[in-house]
Amino acid sequence: MTPTAEPVPGEPRVTYREVLAEPRFRLLFSTRTVAITADALRITTFSVLVFAATGSALLSALAFGIGFLPQLFGSLLLGSLADRLPPRALLAGGYALECAAALLLALVRMPIAASLGVVALVALATPVFSGASSRLVAQWLEGDAYVLGRSLNNIAASGAQLFGLALGGATVAVLGPRRALAVSAVLYLGCALAIRIRLPRLQPGEPGGASEDRGEGGAVRTSLYGAVRLLRAHPVRRLMLAQWLPPAFVAGAEGLIVAYAGGHRFAPGWYAVLMGCLPVGMLVGDLLVGRLLRPPARERLVVPLTVLMGLPLVGFAAEPGVGVSSCLLLLCGFGFAYGLGLQRPFLDALPQEGRGQAFGLLGSGGMTLQGVGPACFGSVAAGIGTGGAIALAGGAVALTAGWILTWQPPTSPASVPNRSTGSGNHAEQIARSSPAR
């Protein structure tokens, strides 16, 4: 039975155990966790393979990030498919596509440009699959159970990324990079089979099924119109920005940790410890805030926790040593739990028929900005030093907290116009609804 979530006096608190008792969520949760492990394994191994073939640090870095940057374009051009296609076929097909790409990289010796193109093409479709999965979670878990489901996904994602990176290093050392890519393909195949066999076939109009309104235009037109419609709605736009900006600024600071450690002559290997402090802090923060606090308390703590993300980074202006730096990064990671207080307001602000696209846009936009952040603050570090640039990133997070303080997250669905059912031109509708810049 799906847990009800809006706590009332005398009602037991929703727990992680109750959320995991929902079999459909448990299936999506487990396959997503395995897929994130496979992602980390594939990304690391592909980067190693490219560096071994070219000796180029630039191409190796591009191989590491090529799976992230195209996602925003995929969300804008294809995002509506997350609501229009049957979810079982979509999710199973997505994992099968990841499997095929990993096998292709493992078995076929292609030019580097072609290999990068394969990964980029898969990344274009990623927001569609992830948006469909998030839409199902929002449909099957209500209220606070949904927030705890998101918390569980965050915790599992942090652990799966760390495990995938470690598995990648060990597998490459034992089997070599191409066989390691084949291992990631096996993991993706397992996810595809689990979804195909165990996820019910949902009919249009059934809870979690595809939208009955498939739209009038093609996927690209419908996706562009849907993205503009979402971003034009003020509550949706500001809630997206609130979830995009702080992590992007922190990613900019995170990208400077290796340079900071090297510039301060920390002992070899300490940079890895420093980089591990952020995900550890994130895991602990999500676990404690999600498990111990009730929904109103989480929503009241959005601004304080956002400040907690930023202020420890400001401390890097004092050029601290390795011990203090580790503590500051742990505190910063703990502050990431601020996002739990935005989950229900964001869900309430979304139109019912466009949730899949909205979740895909949320994830892909955040991923893209987190890719841009290191480049921006890396440029700043060239002028003021790494400690100053990390502190500047922390100040930007604190300023974002001040901006969030100026508005109250909406608690009722946003007034988002429904998709037009007339025969008007979609391009004209997009032009009329584009927000002023």
Side-chain angles (χ1 to χ4, degrees):
M1 180 177 180
T2 301
T4 60
E6 198 57 55
V8 296
E11 183 182 6
R13 186 196 302 267
V14 177
T15 65
Y16 286 124
R17 179 178 297 179
E18 292 172 330
V19 173
L20 287 171
E22 163 58 59
R24 296 169 299 183
F25 170 76
R26 193 166 61 246
L27 172 64
L28 295 178
F29 171 76
S30 58
T31 51
R32 178 179 180 272
T33 302
V34 173
I36 291 173
T37 302
D39 287 342
L41 172 58
R42 188 200 65 190
I43 290 167
T44 305
T45 305
F46 182 50
S47 182
V48 169
L49 192 64
V50 169
F51 184 76
T54 65
S56 170
L58 175 60
L59 287 176
S60 178
L62 183 59
F64 192 88
I66 194 66
F68 303 119
L69 296 180
Q71 290 191 27
L72 180 60
F73 298 101
S75 179
L76 293 174
L77 298 177
L78 303 172
S80 67
L81 296 178
D83 298 292
R84 301 171 73 185
L85 297 180
R88 185 177 70 172
L90 191 58
L91 293 178
Y95 289 133
L97 181 62
E98 297 272 16
C99 172
L103 276 179
L104 190 63
L105 295 172
L107 301 178
V108 181
R109 295 183 180 274
M110 297 179 288
I112 297 302
S115 299
L116 294 172
V118 168
V119 178
L121 285 175
V122 173
L124 282 174
T126 297
V128 180
F129 313 137
S130 62
S133 178
S134 296
R135 177 175 66 84
L136 291 179
V137 172
Q139 185 71 46
W140 291 335
L141 297 180
E142 300 175 357
D144 196 42
Y146 167 73
V147 177
L148 289 190
R150 293 291 298 231
S151 174
L152 278 170
N153 279 333
N154 293 341
I155 293 169
S158 298
Q161 286 173 10
L162 292 172
F163 178 70
L165 292 172
L167 180 63
T171 308
V172 169
V174 175
L175 301 177
R178 293 193 180 276
R179 288 190 177 92
L181 282 170
V183 172
S184 71
V186 171
L187 294 177
Y188 288 127
L189 179 61
C191 294
L193 291 175
I195 292 293
R196 181 65 181 83
I197 294 170
R198 297 183 56 195
L199 188 68
R201 187 176 185 276
L202 303 169
Q203 301 296 329
E206 186 180 351
S211 173
E212 292 182 300
D213 176 15
R214 298 298 181 92
E216 297 174 354
V220 173
R221 284 187 177 183
T222 304
S223 299
L224 286 171
Y225 174 62
V228 170
R229 185 169 58 95
L230 286 167
L231 294 175
R232 191 186 180 202
H234 183 60
V236 175
R237 184 172 67 250
R238 68 186 181 188
L239 283 164
M240 280 193 176
L241 286 171
Q243 294 174 83
W244 284 344
L245 294 179
F249 294 138
V250 173
E254 186 180 14
L256 297 172
I257 289 176
V258 172
Y260 182 85
H264 289 74
R265 302 184 184 278
F266 291 165
W270 270 106
Y271 76 90
V273 175
L274 292 176
M275 294 189 72
C277 287
L278 272 173
V280 169
M282 292 166 61
L283 191 153
V284 173
D286 266 277
L287 183 61
L288 294 181
V289 173
R291 179 65 184 89
L292 299 181
L293 299 182
R294 291 187 179 276
R298 293 192 211 111
E299 293 172 14
R300 286 195 299 268
L301 287 176
V302 166
V303 171
L305 287 172
T306 307
V307 171
L308 183 61
M309 287 178 69
L311 287 187
L313 298 180
V314 174
F316 278 85
E319 308 287 339
V322 65
V324 174
S325 297
S326 299
C327 293
L328 293 176
L329 290 170
L330 281 170
L331 288 172
C332 174
F334 189 97
F336 269 83
Y338 89 100
L340 295 180
L342 295 176
Q343 297 307 311
R344 291 211 300 182
F346 180 68
L347 182 61
D348 289 343
L350 297 180
Q352 184 71 32
E353 72 280 3
R355 285 181 172 182
Q357 182 172 9
F359 287 125
L361 182 60
L362 176 67
S364 61
M367 193 70 70
T368 300
L369 288 178
Q370 288 179 54
V372 171
C376 294
F377 285 97
S379 301
V380 172
I384 65 175
T386 54
I390 292 174
L392 186 63
V397 175
L399 287 176
T400 306
W403 169 68
I404 296 174
L405 188 61
T406 64
W407 51 268
Q408 293 294 324
T411 55
S412 59
S415 178
V416 183
N418 291 325
R419 181 178 290 126
S420 173
T421 56
S423 57
N425 184 288
H426 278 278
E428 293 176 358
Q429 291 174 325
I430 293 171
R432 287 197 299 268
S433 60
S434 297
R437 293 187 181 275

